Amino acid sequence: MIDQFHRGRRARRERWVLGLFDTQYTPARPYLQLVRRRNAATLLPIIQRNVRVGSIVHSDEWAAYRQLQRRLGLHHGTVNHSLHFVDPATGVHTQHAESNWSSAKTKFKVMKGNSNPNFLLEYLQEFMWRRWYGDTHPNGCFKRLLQDIAEQYPL
C-alpha cells in the first residue's frame, strides 16, 4: 500500500469506496459504496440518489465533486487539503468523514488478518448497519440483530 508520503507499493487491485456521512446523527450515519472509478460520471449519480437536494455537502477539492452544486442542487463547500485541514475563510472541513473512515479502518484492522478482500462489500455493509441501527440501540448491536431477525422471521 502507498502511504501518505507516496512510499510503498500499490495494491494489485485497488478498490475505491465512496463515503457519504450524515452528520445530523451521532455517530454520523454512513453510506458506503464500492465504485470502479472516482470520476464524476460514476460518483454524481450515487450522490444524487443518496443526498437530498438542498443538503449542505463538504468535500475536498477532488475534480469529480466540482459539479455538485450546479448539477445536483447541493450547497457545496470545499477545503483544499494540500493547504488546510479546515478552510480558514469558510470553516469547511471534512473531519466527520475522516473520523468515520478511521473508525471503519480500525474495525478492519482489529480483525488482524482475518479479513478477506473479497468480502469488502459485506464488511462495509456491516459497518453501515452498526452505525445506523446497532450502535444506537439501547440494548446494543446483538439485541438489535435479534429484534431484526424476529421481525423478518416471526414464529
Side-chain angles (χ1 to χ4, degrees):
M1 291 302 228
I2 295 178
D3 66 13
Q4 65 184 0
F5 303 107
H6 306 287
R7 298 180 304 211
R9 60 181 170 76
R10 239 185 227 291
R12 276 186 234 141
R13 196 173 109 212
E14 290 183 319
R15 311 277 305 267
W16 299 106
V17 179
L18 172 64
L20 307 170
F21 303 94
D22 188 343
T23 59
Q24 295 179 89
Y25 302 92
T26 303
R29 288 184 173 176
Y31 174 79
L32 307 172
Q33 182 171 332
L34 287 170
V35 294
R36 291 190 185 275
R37 293 184 181 83
R38 297 182 300 163
N39 60 16
T42 301
L43 301 180
L44 292 181
I46 297 168
I47 294 168
Q48 187 173 28
R49 281 192 306 271
N50 291 284
V51 179
R52 273 186 245 140
V53 173
S55 293
I56 299 169
V57 176
H58 291 178
S59 74
D60 58 18
E61 293 187 346
W62 185 256
Y65 302 142
R66 290 189 186 133
Q67 303 171 38
L68 285 175
Q69 191 159 334
R70 183 177 53 80
R71 283 190 44 201
L72 302 185
L74 304 173
H75 301 283
H76 186 216
T78 63
V79 58
N80 183 338
H81 281 152
S82 63
L83 301 175
H84 311 284
F85 289 107
V86 178
D87 187 287
T90 63
V92 169
H93 63 83
T94 59
Q95 296 191 25
H96 292 293
E98 299 298 337
S99 173
N100 275 276
W101 279 124
S102 177
S103 294
K105 290 176 189 176
T106 298
K107 167 86 170 111
F108 299 149
K109 287 177 185 175
V110 166
M111 296 169 82
K112 296 184 180 164
N114 294 323
S115 61
N116 181 331
N118 295 326
F119 296 128
L120 178 58
L121 176 61
E122 287 79 5
Y123 298 144
L124 295 173
Q125 290 171 334
E126 177 195 352
F127 180 77
M128 286 189 293
W129 182 87
R130 284 179 181 274
R131 283 295 173 96
W132 276 73
Y133 307 110
D135 291 346
T136 59
H137 194 273
N139 296 319
C141 285
F142 187 68
K143 293 279 185 163
R144 175 61 195 246
L145 180 60
L146 292 177
Q147 178 184 332
D148 287 353
I149 291 171
E151 287 174 14
Q152 279 294 317
Y153 303 100
L155 296 176

